[in-house]
Amino acid sequence: MRTVSVLGATGSVGDSTFKVLEELPDTHRVVSMVAHSNDARMVELARRFRPELVGLVDRAAAGRAREALAPSGIEVIEGDDVAVEALRATSPDLVLAAITGAAGLASSLETVTRGASLLLANKEALVMAGNLITRAAAASGAAIVPVDSEHSAIFQAIHGEDARAVRRIFLTASGGPFVDREAGSFADVRPEDALRHPTWEMGRKITIDSATMMNKALEIVEARWLFDVPAEAIEVLVHRQSIVHSMVEFVDGSILAQLGTPSMTVPVRHALGYPERVETSSSYFDIEQFSALSFEPPDAVRFPALDLGHAVARTLGLSGTALNAANEVAVAAFLDGATRFDRISETAARVLDALEDVADPDLEQILAADAWAREEATRCLSR
Ligand code: NDP
Ligand code: MG
């Protein structure tokens, strides 16, 4: 029996995770779950999965959950640090890290420092502090198993291969809702247009990231850290059907791809089962429905975020932290109706330009750069 903590339990990846965990009652036991403020969903999940402990950042939400769960004996904790506290209190073997954004950094670091397996959806943590997370994992022996579908595909294709045999990584991208939108018209995009993704159903922040293709920029950096490949070896391909989740080209000319339905249950199941393959009662893929698979180079004019991703993967240092923080601020402003869609990538570019970089930063420097980049992005957006 492996014990599991689900961080970001009430979100979209959380939903996929619990769908898979329902199928695994004999091998996986949920010991803790954490979210921000959705107590209604949390109480429902807690009643179903019976963890030892539940954490909610929002204190009022935690109070309501505590009352509702009192008869069950499940402990409810509250406050900004619930994710790290939940890991310390319940010592899980596996941590499904699905908090959105920089808020997931502390718990992702805590996971690998403790030597637990980090099943990572929260790519922003790795973009911010890939040096610290990979180093702590190497020191403790913790496995990092990607949940992001592209990286799960690459992980599976590379598994058991010599790292030197990898020539190129083809990171596939659906292209999002605006892949064919006229290049000059991005200033007019409204939040409701950007929130309509053609192939994936996801949380709001990552859905906007997919529309700007900043998601792919973050994923370039994520791949850089996970697979230790140079930025030049990572190529983005627009693949509209979202069936081929990524591909790896080897020095002998072979290319290995991983395919499947665009459902996060597939990479989540892989990560929860790893190193074994667990059988599923659902989601087998009808390949005949997808006889036409297309691949095209992305358009760097429509999607300036892509070049930022490559630049950050080359530079590393604090640039990932700055890119992520500026993007988080600009996406929130866009969703609030306070800025234009095309200003998201522009703001990230400006903040990167103004960054005073440091090689191999420590946590204090990363957190300081995160705070600085948020202020700088806010300044850019108010201009
Ligand atoms: P959602 O917005 O759907 O869910 C986010 C989850 O994080 C919610 O449970 C939310 O709680 C919780 N949360 C937010 N802030 C905090 C905090 N400070 N402390 C604790 N919990 C917090 O996001 P997604 O599920 O879509 O994405 C989660 C992560 O996975 C992101 O990093 C994303 O990039 C990545 N990812 C997502 C994919 C997808 O298909 N959705 C695919 C690949 C990667 P509450 O509900 O209470 O607000
Ligand atoms: Mg992805």
Side-chain angles (χ1 to χ4, degrees):
M1 197 58 128
R2 293 202 277 173
T3 55
V4 188
S5 178
V6 185
L7 310 180
T10 55
S12 156
V13 175
D15 283 348
S16 300
T17 302
F18 288 109
K19 260 185 216 146
V20 176
L21 285 169
E22 296 243 90
E23 299 176 1
L24 305 172
D26 301 330
T27 52
H28 292 65
R29 184 164 62 88
V30 181
V31 289
S32 48
M33 35 175 91
V34 165
H36 189 275
S37 43
N38 187 349
D39 56 292
R41 174 71 178 146
M42 191 56 118
V43 167
E44 194 181 309
L45 288 169
R47 286 186 176 140
R48 167 74 190 79
F49 288 91
R50 301 255 147 203
E52 295 160 19
L53 177 146
V54 154
L56 285 159
V57 173
D58 185 89
R59 293 184 191 277
R64 290 190 297 268
R66 196 172 293 120
E67 203 175 301
L69 291 173
S72 70
I74 297 169
E75 186 185 349
V76 179
I77 61 170
E78 63 188 51
D80 287 340
D81 302 323
V82 282
V84 169
E85 285 171 21
L87 299 180
R88 292 190 179 152
T90 60
S91 298
D93 302 318
L94 310 177
V95 177
L96 199 303
I99 293 174
T100 289
L105 174 60
S107 48
S108 292
L109 253 179
E110 174 72 15
T111 300
V112 288
T113 305
R114 305 177 64 80
S117 297
L118 178 63
L119 317 185
L120 185 71
N122 173 223
K123 65 193 89 185
E124 295 93 340
L126 204 60
V127 170
M128 288 178 77
N131 61 334
L132 304 184
I133 292 175
T134 54
R135 203 174 296 144
S140 69
I144 304 179
V145 187
V147 167
D148 208 352
S149 57
E150 296 78 0
H151 304 73
S152 174
I154 298 162
F155 184 89
Q156 293 178 61
I158 280 183
H159 202 60
E161 302 280 354
D162 185 334
R164 287 166 304 182
V166 174
R167 184 168 180 274
R168 261 187 308 180
I169 284 176
F170 294 109
L171 201 57
T172 53
S174 68
F178 306 136
V179 65
D180 295 319
R181 195 182 172 101
E182 217 181 298
S185 72
F186 280 77
D188 307 327
V189 169
R190 297 166 307 169
E192 56 268 36
D193 306 327
L195 286 169
R196 226 175 284 127
H197 195 278
T199 51
W200 292 96
E201 248 184 67
M202 311 178 284
R204 285 159 67 85
K205 189 263 178 183
I206 185 175
T207 303
I208 302 301
D209 287 349
S210 299
T212 55
M213 290 192 83
M214 187 63 84
N215 182 48
K216 219 42 63 177
L218 299 175
E219 290 185 354
I220 293 170
V221 185
E222 183 185 12
R224 160 69 190 78
W225 285 117
L226 284 173
F227 308 115
D228 197 18
V229 285
E232 304 72 53
I234 305 169
E235 220 165 282
V236 174
L237 275 183
V238 172
H239 166 53
R240 297 170 187 244
Q241 300 81 18
S242 298
I243 296 300
V244 175
H245 297 308
S246 276
M247 304 184 267
V248 178
E249 181 184 53
F250 294 91
V251 289
D252 63 357
S254 269
I255 295 178
L256 294 187
Q258 186 262 357
L259 286 73
T261 327
S263 159
M264 287 303 289
T265 55
V266 178
V268 164
R269 188 178 296 107
H270 170 266
L272 284 169
Y274 179 81
E276 281 163 33
R277 296 267 179 191
V278 290
E279 200 175 324
T280 172
S281 48
S282 63
S283 70
Y284 285 104
F285 173 52
D286 183 3
I287 205 156
E288 283 163 25
Q289 285 195 7
F290 291 95
S291 53
L293 300 179
S294 62
F295 302 93
E296 357 162 14
D299 182 343
V301 177
R302 283 194 181 91
F303 302 106
L306 290 172
D307 284 344
L308 303 180
H310 270 116
V312 168
R314 269 193 304 275
T315 331
L316 302 179
L318 289 167
S319 63
T321 305
L323 176 73
N324 179 65
N327 181 58
E328 282 189 26
V329 169
V331 169
F334 171 68
L335 284 171
D336 282 349
T339 196
R340 287 193 337 238
F341 183 82
D342 57 327
R343 297 210 60 200
I344 298 173
S345 297
E346 184 194 305
T347 302
R350 290 201 176 174
V351 171
L352 279 176
D353 276 344
L355 174 71
E356 284 183 40
D357 210 351
V358 171
D360 196 20
D362 60 22
L363 185 58
E364 206 178 314
Q365 290 170 313
I366 288 170
L367 295 177
D370 179 70
W372 168 83
R374 284 170 199 274
E375 281 169 24
E376 187 66 21
T378 307
R379 261 196 301 278
C380 288
L381 288 167
S382 67
R383 257 176 237 146

